[in-house]
Amino acid sequence: MSEVERTIMNLPRRDAPDKLRGRTKYTNDRMDSTTLHAALLRSTVPAGRIARLDVSRALKCPGVRAVATAGDAPGLFGIGVADHPLFASDTIRYIGEPIAAVAAETLEQARAAIAAIELEVEPLAPVLTMEEALAPGARLVHENWRNYEILFEGGSRRGNIAWEAKAMRGDVDAAFARSDVRIVESTFRVGRQNHVPFEPRVAICSWEDDRAHIQTSTQVPWTVRNVTGRVMGLTPGRVRVTVPAVGGGFGLKFDATIEPITAVLARKTGRAVMLENSRFEEMTTCLCRENADIRIRSAVAADGEIVGREATVLMDCGAYGGEQIFLTTMTAHTLGGNYRLGAVRLTSRAIYTNTPPNGAFRACNGVYNTFALERHTDEICAELGFNPIEFRRRNVLGDGDLGATGQPFEGEVLRPMLDRMEGLREKVGSARERAAGRLYGRATTVGTWFIFVGPSSATVNLNADGSATLVTSGVEIGSGTMTQSLPQIVAGQLGLDPRDVIVKQADTDAAGLDVGVGGGRTTVSIGAASIEACVPIREKLLKTASEMLQTPPERLTLRNGRVEIAAVPGSGATVAEVVQRAQSISGPVTGTGSFTAKNVPAMAGCAMGHFIEAIDIPVFAVHDAEVAVDPETGHVEVLSYSVVQDVGRALNPLAIHGQVQGGVVQGLGYALHEEVTLGGEGEIRQSGFETYRLPLALDAVPVAIDLYEGAPSMGPLGTKGAGEVPILNTAATVACAVANATGRLVREIPLTPPRVLRILRDREPALPHPHISADWLQNTLD
Amino acid sequence: MSTTFQLNGETCRFDGDPMTPLIDLLRCQRFMTGTKAVCREGFCGACTVNVEGEPVLACLRPVGLLEGLSVMTIEGASRYDAEAQLLQAAFERVDAVQCGMCFPGMVMSLSKFLRETPRADRNAVKHAMVGNICRCTGYERIVDAVMECLAEAHSAGGADV
């Protein structure tokens, strides 16, 4: 049995029994009677200058142990650009921005003290939309943007443009000037999506041995360590981050704004301090998936070849650059993906506004760019008279084709996946009769995601009882990587039962660097590091057993918890016996491994301002949906949903199917009813579950799933990340199906009943996007 | 003012504001954290407990209204409630759990349904679940697990409705 065969199984989650019985201690379950509670004073205006901030009355309130303000955490942090203070000191930039924090014996006392803080603000006229932010003479959200420390070189910035990334390949002007092409142009707009993980952002910090120990619900323990050190002026090594079970993340918990506040208050009080966002705070300062405006234009030859494409994507980063700056990178691969392009130029701009900051959300940037790209593709097909599936079959990226930044793609994947979808469609059949008098539409779309691998490390210790302990900075956010794929991988390498692989939860004091759980990278990156960690362990086991059994190492194998003579099952010794022997002769049996990308870089001069130089692992998906649109009410019902997903190799098919089902339903929420709108002051209006409409059981649709295996991947054992991708083209697929059902253009999502009714009655506004020039060069700096 | 009720079979006396939500008594005073606080506005179902056998949202129920009643939380149901145990085993078997925060409430809501509705179809199960929101799983696998439990309960001789 090969190590691959030993690794593949439907291992059940080890954390499920405790989670189902209420025994799991998430971060917000870890307070006790000695924990202090923190509350925040948050801004109620979107823009202003702090004229006076007096906390002396708050300090005298009952139960109060400390108050913190900007003076306690003077450092600025950010991704790419250090533009973000922990507390507003002089300038307020959004409703909900923290200004001060109180730690008190009870939460009620902390909140009462917050109310006693005296704050005077001189309001400024807010900049609430990207259109306003880009208008000539617009007020600067960051007046001193030139003075910020640059953490990553290469992007362009100016005024309210926090960051700009570009991808350029080939002569686009020549392509559009050809006499034999038709030019198709489309504009799109998407709103924000709120993550709503069930556990809010929360942290508990204690001050131990003159260091901060933060327990937090995070996806990025090393970022929390670094940001906390940075804002407090401590070396990051004086911050320890441990991560209990996380009650959902979806990208929201890439944030590090709660944790440093608890560290400041813990240092001041010497006590453990817990800060947990209330549901209102969580909803209104959520770091939503960003709202975006998109213009895309293509030159298509009569035979369907896409000879030129150009696009501009405006991403609203809100008051601080944060992850949007990083995410500008993704556009080259999401909007510039899927199809073979003759020449291409794309610009992606993160724009400051006086609104709550946005952030990363599952398949970040890709979900709406895929919506735009696939709708644009169908608009091309409608204008030029192509069959949409045949057009895709002709034009999807294949072996050796170049991406927008000039990286060659390896392997023929999307085309055979389209064939597999045809098979799946036949197998599932049509649900058309269930449309029952409503408008019926069906669509098939393609999607390209890519996994950014980044650095990870792993240590494996083999124990005297024959078990192994895996130490990493990985975090279990609900996707099962720490409870299923990683123990399976280690067990497969060492011939153990995966139930005998203990996985240590993230602790920055114990494990090496990791860039966090997101983008589908954990199984790939930590998995590869884990395999490397097992190499010296195998060598030591085989060498020791060889001496014990008087048999050459090459005739031995690791299986079923034993070191056996390969030809004689059940022979040899148990791993426990061999470990005990090895420990006595040569010391502990342990190995460490590390991993980072060995990637395909961009072509010289094609990518500017990109945080990720290369596509590490492209991942493809093909989705198909049937919808019924009620012309009276505008309600869209999804009648069937099918997914063919490229997973490289499925180590735990049961777990991957669960990720696909969950991702698709989350995507259906985004496509159909999850709507975040901003009020007149730039505040998020959907402040709770009553007003933000999440998918319920009756909204869920069973997803027919076909996992496509065997595509090239540098992931361990041929794996690719599987949890991020399922949401990538749900909105695209539903929008295309609704456009087919109604015979109208769909330019905006979510497709709520009022919007669908406007579409049906031709009352949905056109999107002229005056803030995106028709001349692409006008949309770029430099 | 004092309120006395049965909590997982034991007498619980609470001296304090009778308007205190049950969830705060459980989580913040007794540190019984199996009951999850998610929306605190009666929409998500994560804090569901049983009062006199009926599913009740602990975020909306003042302790003062529990005088003399019997309250069961996920901690108690995991020990004493056969249907809850059946559900827990099925959720494990079909790999339904992801982040897991909605599941204690899901178990508390569905155990009564399972007890009283042994002949339900998938659609009826979904109707029974609309008060329990799950952000991770896309629900279908939860329905699968409940359908398995219904099949088991039925083959064990459950009564028809």
Side-chain angles (χ1 to χ4, degrees):
Chain A
M1 199 186 206
S2 72
E3 62 182 31
V4 170
E5 290 166 315
R6 281 202 306 259
T7 306
I8 296 168
M9 63 181 73
N10 287 323
L11 178 73
R13 298 178 65 111
R14 63 184 53 171
D15 55 353
D18 280 353
K19 283 178 168 174
L20 285 159
R21 287 162 186 79
R23 296 194 294 244
T24 300
K25 291 278 189 187
Y26 300 86
T27 301
N28 68 358
D29 295 329
R30 288 176 180 246
M31 70 287 188
D32 62 26
S33 57
T34 69
T35 312
L36 294 175
H37 293 264
L40 298 181
L41 173 66
R42 291 177 178 275
S43 171
T44 55
V45 299
R49 285 194 209 295
I50 296 175
R52 194 172 78 91
L53 176 63
D54 185 347
V55 301
S56 53
R57 276 179 56 204
L59 275 167
K60 292 177 194 140
C61 287
V64 169
R65 297 290 169 260
V67 179
T69 60
D72 298 296
L76 299 178
F77 64 97
I79 300 172
V81 180
D83 63 0
H84 198 165
L86 192 60
F87 298 104
S89 58
D90 170 52
T91 306
I92 287 170
R93 297 191 176 89
Y94 70 96
I95 288 183
E97 179 158 23
I99 297 166
V102 170
E105 295 292 340
T106 70
L107 187 56
E108 291 67 33
Q109 289 172 334
R111 286 180 177 158
I114 287 293
I117 294 175
E118 293 169 62
L119 172 70
E120 286 174 26
V121 177
E122 294 164 359
L124 293 167
V127 176
L128 296 179
T129 66
M130 294 192 284
E131 197 170 332
E132 285 173 49
L134 291 174
R139 194 180 67 78
L140 295 178
V141 175
H142 292 260
E143 276 178 359
N144 54 345
W145 65 273
R146 290 172 204 275
N147 301 331
Y148 290 143
E149 184 185 353
I150 304 296
L151 305 173
F152 182 89
E153 297 290 340
S156 304
R157 306 157 60 227
R158 186 179 301 156
N160 286 331
I161 300 168
W163 194 267
E164 179 180 288
K166 285 195 286 265
M168 294 191 280
R169 178 172 57 72
D171 190 338
V172 178
D173 289 324
F176 276 88
R178 269 170 55 165
S179 58
D180 63 335
V181 299
R182 287 272 295 277
I183 294 170
V184 179
E185 179 162 347
S186 318
T187 51
F188 301 97
R189 170 168 288 166
V190 295
R192 301 182 187 207
Q193 183 183 19
N194 203 312
H195 304 71
V196 200
F198 264 30
E199 187 192 30
R201 282 166 290 168
V202 54
I204 300 173
C205 184
S206 49
W207 201 257
E208 301 166 1
D209 304 331
D210 203 26
R211 300 169 73 217
H213 173 200
I214 304 174
Q215 300 181 80
T216 177
S217 184
T218 186
Q219 296 173 245
V220 285
W222 284 83
T223 303
V224 170
R225 177 182 186 265
N226 293 337
V227 170
T228 303
R230 190 179 170 93
V231 299
M232 292 178 75
L234 298 173
T235 54
R238 286 183 62 196
V239 182
R240 175 188 178 199
V241 179
T242 59
V243 186
V246 173
F250 312 118
L252 173 62
K253 293 168 179 173
F254 265 73
D255 183 29
T257 51
I258 297 287
E259 296 89 346
I261 295 175
T262 63
V264 168
L265 292 170
R267 182 164 63 171
K268 286 191 153 214
T269 60
R271 300 260 303 268
V273 179
M274 171 162 159
L275 175 57
E276 178 179 17
N277 268 344
S278 70
R279 188 49 61 178
F280 176 86
E281 292 175 298
E282 190 71 355
M283 294 296 292
T284 53
T285 66
C286 161
L287 301 164
C288 293
R289 186 193 299 286
E290 66 275 14
N291 51 306
D293 294 340
I294 299 160
R295 181 193 287 272
I296 178 168
R297 199 162 77 104
S298 299
V300 185
D303 64 354
E305 183 191 354
I306 307 164
V307 299
R309 171 161 292 162
E310 60 182 24
T312 299
V313 179
L314 303 183
M315 307 162 66
D316 190 343
C317 59
Y320 297 101
E323 289 145 303
Q324 258 55 49
I325 285 182
F326 182 89
L327 299 183
T328 55
T329 301
M330 269 63 165
T331 295
H333 307 303
T334 53
L335 196 58
N338 293 7
Y339 301 104
R340 192 173 53 241
L341 304 171
V344 55
R345 57 190 180 193
L346 310 166
T347 180
S348 188
R349 307 176 125 185
I351 309 296
Y352 286 129
T353 57
N354 287 120
T355 64
N358 286 316
F361 189 149
R362 200 175 195 169
C364 37
N365 170 291
V367 172
Y368 57 79
N369 274 332
T370 304
F371 155 67
L373 178 56
E374 291 301 283
R375 277 299 310 133
H376 178 66
T377 303
D378 276 3
E379 289 182 20
I380 291 172
C381 292
E383 283 199 32
L384 276 69
F386 296 116
N387 172 294
I389 294 180
E390 288 313 311
F391 182 85
R392 285 172 171 83
R393 216 184 286 279
R394 182 203 188 288
N395 284 299
V396 290
L397 288 162
D399 189 33
D401 287 335
L402 299 182
T405 56
Q407 287 112 337
F409 280 78
E410 186 191 346
E412 194 68 29
V413 185
L414 264 173
R415 241 176 301 272
M417 285 175 66
L418 278 165
D419 294 339
R420 286 272 282 269
M421 178 55 84
E422 199 171 298
L424 190 57
R425 278 171 61 134
E426 277 169 24
K427 192 174 144 201
V428 171
S430 173
R432 182 172 200 140
E433 79 282 357
R434 284 184 36 225
R438 293 170 292 174
L439 303 168
Y440 168 85
R442 183 166 204 167
T444 300
T445 67
V446 297
T448 307
W449 180 245
F450 71 104
I451 292 163
F452 158 60
V453 176
S456 282
S457 51
T459 299
V460 176
N461 298 316
L462 211 50
N463 304 310
D465 62 357
S467 66
T469 308
L470 171 66
V471 183
T472 73
S473 280
V475 172
E476 177 52 59
I477 64 169
S479 57
T481 48
M482 306 300 289
T483 61
Q484 292 168 309
S485 59
L486 290 178
Q488 285 178 226
I489 286 173
V490 171
Q493 295 297 304
L494 301 179
L496 301 176
D497 186 313
R499 281 164 291 205
D500 290 329
V501 179
I502 302 150
V503 181
K504 169 91 176 80
Q505 299 185 84
D507 180 343
T508 55
D509 276 7
L513 173 68
D514 188 87
V515 294
V517 174
R521 62 177 295 280
T522 306
T523 298
V524 169
S525 208
I526 299 183
S530 302
I531 287 179
E532 194 180 289
C534 290
V535 170
I537 293 176
R538 287 171 67 122
E539 277 174 18
K540 195 163 187 176
L541 279 179
L542 293 174
K543 181 168 178 289
T544 308
S546 163
E547 288 159 10
M548 288 168 71
L549 304 171
Q550 296 295 300
T551 307
E554 54 275 12
R555 289 183 55 202
L556 297 176
T557 189
L558 298 169
R559 69 185 166 214
N560 300 326
R562 301 179 67 82
V563 187
E564 295 180 348
I565 298 166
V568 190
S571 63
T574 63
V575 167
E577 287 163 344
V578 180
V579 171
Q580 287 163 26
R581 174 84 180 150
Q583 285 177 339
S584 67
I585 297 170
S586 56
V589 184
T590 182
T592 61
S594 58
F595 185 75
T596 193
K598 301 167 198 67
N599 43 35
V600 184
M603 198 179 278
C606 286
M608 281 136 282
H610 285 203
F611 284 72
I612 306 169
E613 156 74 357
I615 296 178
D616 290 348
I617 302 179
V619 187
F620 302 100
V622 179
H623 285 209
D624 180 89
E626 290 175 285
V627 302
V629 179
D630 187 329
E632 302 299 321
T633 65
H635 178 260
V636 177
E637 184 189 352
V638 178
L639 302 172
S640 78
Y641 206 96
S642 304
V643 170
V644 178
Q645 185 171 314
D646 160 32
V647 294
R649 185 192 298 280
L651 297 183
N652 188 323
L654 187 65
I656 294 177
H657 281 242
Q659 287 297 308
V660 174
Q661 176 70 46
V664 166
V665 170
Q666 206 170 53
L668 294 178
Y670 181 58
L672 293 173
H673 51 75
E674 288 186 40
E675 187 162 40
V676 173
T677 56
L678 299 177
E681 296 283 282
E683 77 282 10
I684 288 175
R685 284 165 143 164
Q686 291 73 16
S687 58
F689 280 42
E690 185 175 3
T691 44
Y692 190 69
R693 171 73 165 83
L694 291 163
L696 308 176
L698 283 165
D699 299 309
V701 177
V703 180
I705 300 166
D706 183 3
L707 302 182
Y708 184 86
E709 297 190 75
S713 173
M714 67 171 181
L717 313 176
T719 53
K720 298 183 175 188
E724 190 97 355
V725 193
I727 199 172
L728 180 68
N729 35 342
T730 42
T733 314
V734 170
C736 289
V738 168
N740 289 340
T742 58
R744 306 289 205 282
L745 295 180
V746 173
R747 303 185 186 94
E748 285 190 65
I749 48 173
L751 291 161
T752 57
R755 173 162 291 129
V756 172
L757 286 178
R758 288 197 300 270
I759 290 171
L760 282 167
R761 291 164 193 177
D762 292 322
R763 287 186 186 159
E764 183 75 341
L767 294 172
H769 282 346
H771 50 309
I772 306 180
S773 172
D775 175 3
W776 185 85
L777 284 174
Q778 297 298 312
N779 300 316
T780 64
L781 299 170
D782 300 329
Chain B
M1 184 177 163
S2 162
T3 305
T4 304
F5 59 99
Q6 294 292 305
L7 178 58
N8 296 330
E10 290 175 22
T11 301
C12 175
R13 186 186 147 116
F14 173 70
D15 298 304
D17 182 354
M19 288 307 288
T20 302
L22 173 58
I23 193 160
D24 287 344
L25 169 63
L26 294 173
R27 287 182 56 86
C28 306
Q29 296 186 28
R30 301 251 159 176
F31 301 104
M32 289 170 62
T33 54
T35 302
K36 301 303 176 191
V38 173
C39 76
R40 285 183 172 272
E41 55 187 16
F43 277 88
C44 74
C47 67
T48 305
V49 298
N50 288 348
V51 175
E52 297 288 300
E54 293 292 321
V56 160
L57 296 169
C59 69
L60 296 185
R61 182 59 56 102
V63 176
L65 292 183
L66 297 173
E67 178 63 42
L69 302 181
S70 159
V71 176
M72 181 83 86
T73 68
I74 188 67
E75 288 92 347
S78 302
R79 285 201 297 276
Y80 305 125
D81 184 325
E83 283 78 15
Q85 291 163 3
L86 205 58
L87 285 164
Q88 286 160 336
F91 288 144
E92 286 174 43
R93 207 163 48 238
V94 306
D95 202 49
V97 179
Q98 291 189 23
C99 97
M101 272 208 132
C102 68
F103 274 89
M106 198 77 83
V107 168
M108 297 308 292
S109 291
L110 288 170
S111 55
K112 174 178 189 271
F113 175 78
L114 195 58
R115 204 157 31 241
E116 298 183 353
T117 324
R119 287 283 196 175
D121 61 10
R122 286 185 78 87
N123 202 41
V125 173
K126 286 188 167 188
H127 273 281
M129 285 167 53
V130 290
N132 289 84
I133 300 176
C134 173
R135 188 54 160 163
C136 302
T137 65
Y139 299 103
E140 291 294 327
R141 212 166 259 186
I142 302 176
V143 182
D144 292 343
V146 178
M147 294 308 291
E148 277 193 18
C149 291
L150 288 168
E152 269 178 60
H154 186 60
S155 65
D160 290 0
V161 181

